[in-house]
Amino acid sequence: MDTGRISQLLDASLDPRQNKQAEISLKQEEQKPGFSVGLLQIVATESFNSTTRLSAALCFKNLIKRHWTDEEGNHILPYDEVNNIKSMLIGLMVAVPPSIQLQLGDAIGVIADSDFWERWDTLVDDLISRLSPESPVINIGVLQVAHSIFKRWRPLFRSDKLFAEVNHVVEKFGTPYIELIRFTDQQIVAQTNANNKDLLTKHFISLNLIIKLLYDLTCQDLPPVIEDNLADIAAILRKYLSYDSPLLHNDDEAGLLEIVKSNIFEVLTLFVQKYDDVFGVHVGTFIESSWALLTTIGTETKDDILVSKALQFLTSVTRISHHAQAFNNESLLGQVVEGVILPNMTLRESDMELFEDEPIEFIRRDLEGPDNDTRRRAATDFLRSLIDQFDKLVTEVVLRYITHYLNAYSQDPTTEFKSKDTAVYLFSAIAAKGTVTALKGVSTVNDHVKILEFFQANVASDLLSADSAHPILQVDAIKFLYIFRSQISSEQWGDAFPLLAKHLASDNYVVYTYAAIAVERVLASTNDANQPVISRTSVQPLAKDLLSHLYMLIEKNQDSKKSVAASKIQENEFIMRCLMRVLIVIKEGVIPMTDMVLSHSIAITEIIAVNPSNPRFYYYHFEALGALIRFATPSQPEKLETALYPPFSNIIQEDVSEFIPYTFQLFAALLEANPSQSLPESYKSLVQPVLLANYWLVKGNVPALVRLLSSIIAKGATELVAANQVEPILGIFKQLISVKSSEIHGFDLLDSILTHFPQHSLQQYYSPIVQMLLTRLQKNKTEAFTSRFVRLYHSVSARLEQGMGADFFIRIVDSIQTGLYTQLYLSIILPETAKLARPLDRKIAVISLTKTLTDSTAFAEQYRKGWGFTCEALLKLLENPPLPATTDYDIIVEQDVDDMSFGVGFTALTTIRKPVQDPYPDITDVKVWVGQFLRSSNARLGGKVSNYAQERLSPQAQQALAPYVR
């Protein structure tokens, strides 16, 4: 492997002038044997500059993520290359700089997911053998590898396989790990190291990794080796919660001291939550340590995570009744509120600087998402956990402080606005109980406070007096409505909503953004009758001005440089989400505003396509476009197609990978919404790009491509047949059906092929298609594949009028292997039919089985027992007949952007969610239809159906069938 050439390509990939061509060349090099090992050789070679080595490590990590194993867990790389990688990695990890360690550690985590421990059972022994009392640097590398592998256990559910892996590790690694804890502690306190900054730092890095590993090793269960040494471990943890050294101080951001203490609190929280039976005896001393830390620590931002973790520990303690009793005292609660809660709820100068200088960051922190370790959030959670235990007592104590802060504000409103902010925040903290949800806000409230009275007396004035109230207090008023929106009636919202919307016109970034956040959530809210709190008719008269203003807020920060404009315009996802919600609410009311919405949407698309940087913003943007397409296209398809084709096709041509899955979905929705039954000219030019293999290789594109191709087939089957495109489309189906991750999409495509292509165009392909499916069923079937196969069978069997039916399927299967159909029907089709869950699938199965009983020659003459089995399966389905599918197409619930899986692979646009297509809409009551069909068929066939029933069914089955045949 030519490492010199690879290094040059890696360097070129970092140069904006050469990166695209360099990346193409690197992709070509990937195909050559030994490429991965060549990358590791570059990482290991100190003569290459640090940037090249880091780039090689990053390239290696990405290669491993893509090409370590296939979907069956088999290695993609050659056997020798796999072994070389494993033999090189550990040695590299203990020798390379920390920045490279992080990349290699991620790669090791990916490898461990598939190989550890059974295909890499020497790893733990290798790690232990490398631990060195002489070299903290080597120990850091070893511990980094261990953490990269063992941290995978944290989110996993308990299973025998997982515990086998954990036990394998603990049996080998447990004792050396305990020895390393003690050794590292001795090294830190040793006088020679305590005064040597370099050595102390290295040992503290080791200690930090040791603490992380303590969490890893105990996140599933408490290993005996840890439990046996728990007292010593607790003493060491307690020591380092109060440890200090000027050599480790860091003025600007959290340093090693703060990070180690934060990680200790994470471990303590885990132990309290999971192992209180054995750890409970130590909790009291750690409460004292927490109190000492929290009452002496400063307000610097570098301590924010540490304070949050300490408060989270106290929160976990107070959620356990017998530990919470330590706080069951009015005087002590006063000290807790004054010494711990209030200092971490009060606005600091750094918060005000953030409010003014980085408003979007202030908003994101203030919204207190689950991943934000803010002091305010942690203090609020601690306070609410105390209220859960002692609600009346805590409420009384906190209300006294609220009154104190409100009085301070009333004495000097100009300078004491922070006091009122603290009072309102405190009230919100004690008033809300249970979980605050994104959908409803606060659903359960504290019975000892009066929310609306407090709002009217202390908060409403800041909503009304936009010109005189401090922006912080305006935000507090808006946020109060946002949090307690479910406690406000529809009638009260009728008065409050215009006041809320008025703040969209504020000059203050935080105020108008929070107004957008609140407006969006209120528009999405429903009452107990599941009706909108704010009706569509109330919003419609305001919609044009509201949309115009929201577009103005989004576009106001444009810059002459395209890349800067792209970054600024997509900075504020909250405004775009509000705009999306307005379009969803007004539905077809957007039609008179189509030109305005189109022009702004296209302009924004073209700007952000230069540099997509905020996945949430562009997700909401494309959902907004989806709403426009869904509600405006049916009345003016040519206008939208003409306007949107250029920007959408440009995204595809420029290969803007982040946008391509959205673009294919929107193209499909445009075509589906067009009432014309023919394929528009613009879509004919899309056929070739859609069939290109490179788009189908990206997993995130597949669902959208299948939908678009299916939509093209539905309206352009004749043109596709004439252009000899049937075989390429079937080639895509073959590719999809062969892989587990895309097999369902393969069936979706096949449904479209069988539904819309003329039978004569598929005649030569029926046997190969079925043979391919049967091969998968035999060799590598999954539950999902089997279910979809049975759905496909019934779909074909039910299409008697289209020249298909059960006999049609039988001929195809038996042409592959004589008698194969009998085995398939009895072992797969009938058993799996009973498991069908979707109402539409059950309905089609009922139709299929009914038509089989009446019109299948094979079942009438050849499969006499099969006729009886089929009738029994039908009667079983009719015991619990599928009801007409309730349409929830009008209910639009967007994706949860806070979900961990958001943005990974494919993200469906819910505004253009494809409605379920019922091929038999006229059949609304299947029991009635079955009776009518069987009786008419029986008459048509001269009583054969009733004769078969008497000959082939048991008396019980005959009795069950009788009402349908008489």
Side-chain angles (χ1 to χ4, degrees), residues 820-839:
L820 180 58
Y821 176 80
T822 302
Q823 181 184 347
L824 178 69
Y825 193 70
L826 294 177
S827 64
I828 292 180
I829 293 173
L830 280 183
E832 292 298 325
T833 296
K835 299 177 186 178
L836 293 173
R838 288 199 326 165

Side-chain angles (χ1 to χ4, degrees), residues 194 218 944:
T218 58
K944 284 187 177 181

Side-chain angles (χ1 to χ4, degrees), residues 549-566:
H549 188 73
L550 290 169
Y551 279 122
M552 183 274 293
L553 292 177
I554 291 168
E555 296 168 350
K556 67 189 294 186
N557 291 320
Q558 290 190 52
D559 192 279
S560 57
K561 289 185 179 179
K562 282 189 176 181
S563 59
V564 178

